[in-house]
Amino acid sequence: MTSTQEYELVWHDVAAPAETDGKVEQPNELDDTGGFCPGPSWAGDPEEYQEQAALTAVAAGLTVMPWCWVETTCGSTSCLDVKHMIFRSPQRLLYPASVCVYCGEYADSRDHLLPVTYTGKAVRRHVLTVPACRQCNSFIGDASAPSVTERRAIAHSSLRRKRFRVLQSFDYTDDELEDFGHSMRSSVLRAREEKGRLLRRLAFPGDDTYDLEYLALSGIDDPYALGLLKTDDRARSRRR
């Protein structure tokens, strides 16, 4: 099975895409790959091309999912001619099916990376999903944040608020526990276990390469360019 599929685009009867803030030049120059196109091209930072291509396509009336990336029939890596654009999308994100991508608990649901209030039902089947526990899925709700990083930040923030008292519980030492009666000691130990589990959920995934590894298995080499991942600072701004 291939890791990508051609996304079905929706055309509307509109004029050709407008130029974007004077950054579209014509004609294209020969790019690094040897591809040449006489049409409009992106003359800015090459790392921003994917975003600019998507914006150009949307301006031309195309429906483009946030995680799609552009390949061109002309071979140019800077082409902004929508007639040359082929939008690719991963068939599925290859995260472990039973592990919540947000907290590491057992995943008993699938979270759509865009809510139905944003996409509508017509293109729902094209929306990427990730494994999630029902609690994190509920926390995220209809947040219009298409990146795993942002959605994880929202889930963690909600979890902290909901379980604030658990996080604030006192950490007794083993020596202090010896002075408690059986009933009190059992209660403290249960609270310690609950707090430890909560802290593990909030620390997930722990390994900075976790998302990169599984997104690479999904055929996505640069998830930051596609908006599937955000830097920590940008993710924190989406917490609510």
Side-chain angles (χ1 to χ4, degrees), residues 11-136:
W11 282 91
H12 301 276
D13 186 15
V14 296
E19 295 188 354
T20 52
D21 298 330
K23 294 182 179 179
V24 176
E25 296 181 353
Q26 192 171 357
N28 281 7
E29 295 181 357
L30 190 67
D31 63 32
D32 293 337
T33 64
F36 178 81
C37 177
S41 67
W42 172 242
D45 187 339
E47 294 186 358
E48 298 177 2
Y49 167 71
Q50 289 291 333
E51 179 179 1
Q52 190 60 43
L55 290 173
T56 303
V58 170
L62 294 176
T63 300
V64 182
M65 291 299 185
W67 45 79
C68 291
W69 68 92
V70 176
E71 295 177 359
T72 61
T73 57
C74 61
S76 170
T77 57
S78 59
C79 176
L80 291 179
D81 188 336
V82 293
K83 295 180 180 179
H84 295 173
M85 293 181 185
I86 300 174
F87 285 85
R88 304 291 187 182
S89 175
Q91 289 185 340
R92 58 191 293 251
L93 300 183
L94 299 178
Y95 283 102
S98 61
V99 179
C100 175
V101 299
Y102 306 126
C103 74
E105 290 282 283
Y106 176 71
D108 52 0
S109 71
R110 303 287 301 183
D111 177 39
H112 289 76
L113 294 186
L114 286 174
V116 67
T117 53
Y118 180 90
T119 63
K121 294 182 179 180
V123 296
R124 194 65 173 161
R125 64 188 179 90
H126 295 296
V127 178
L128 292 175
T129 64
V130 293
C133 69
R134 292 186 185 276
Q135 187 176 49
C136 285

Side-chain angles (χ1 to χ4, degrees), residues 69-233:
W69 68 92
V70 176
E71 295 177 359
T72 61
T73 57
C74 61
S76 170
T77 57
S78 59
C79 176
L80 291 179
D81 188 336
V82 293
K83 295 180 180 179
H84 295 173
M85 293 181 185
I86 300 174
F87 285 85
R88 304 291 187 182
S89 175
Q91 289 185 340
R92 58 191 293 251
L93 300 183
L94 299 178
Y95 283 102
S98 61
V99 179
C100 175
V101 299
Y102 306 126
C103 74
E105 290 282 283
Y106 176 71
D108 52 0
S109 71
R110 303 287 301 183
D111 177 39
H112 289 76
L113 294 186
L114 286 174
V116 67
T117 53
Y118 180 90
T119 63
K121 294 182 179 180
V123 296
R124 194 65 173 161
R125 64 188 179 90
H126 295 296
V127 178
L128 292 175
T129 64
V130 293
C133 69
R134 292 186 185 276
Q135 187 176 49
C136 285
N137 207 340
S138 176
F139 283 152
I140 295 168
D142 60 355
S144 57
S147 83
V148 173
T149 317
E150 291 174 303
R151 299 176 81 79
R152 184 180 289 136
I154 292 171
H156 284 190
S157 179
S158 298
L159 187 58
R160 286 189 185 93
R161 288 199 304 271
K162 184 176 180 65
R163 308 304 298 278
F164 175 78
R165 291 186 180 277
V166 174
L167 291 173
Q168 295 299 310
S169 62
F170 189 78
D171 295 320
Y172 292 99
T173 66
D174 290 339
D175 289 340
E176 290 172 326
L177 286 176
E178 292 296 326
D179 297 331
F180 295 154
H182 174 74
S183 179
M184 181 63 175
R185 187 185 305 115
S186 297
S187 177
V188 171
L189 289 174
R190 285 195 299 271
R192 177 192 287 183
E193 182 179 353
E194 183 180 9
K195 183 176 182 179
R197 180 182 177 183
L198 178 58
L199 290 173
R200 287 191 296 273
R201 293 181 70 185
L202 293 172
F204 187 83
D207 184 355
D208 292 339
T209 65
Y210 181 84
D211 293 310
L212 293 173
E213 176 184 351
Y214 289 110
L215 291 174
L217 288 174
S218 308
I220 301 172
D221 295 327
D222 189 355
Y224 293 97
L226 300 181
L228 282 170
L229 296 181
K230 300 284 187 181
T231 61
D232 287 343
D233 289 341

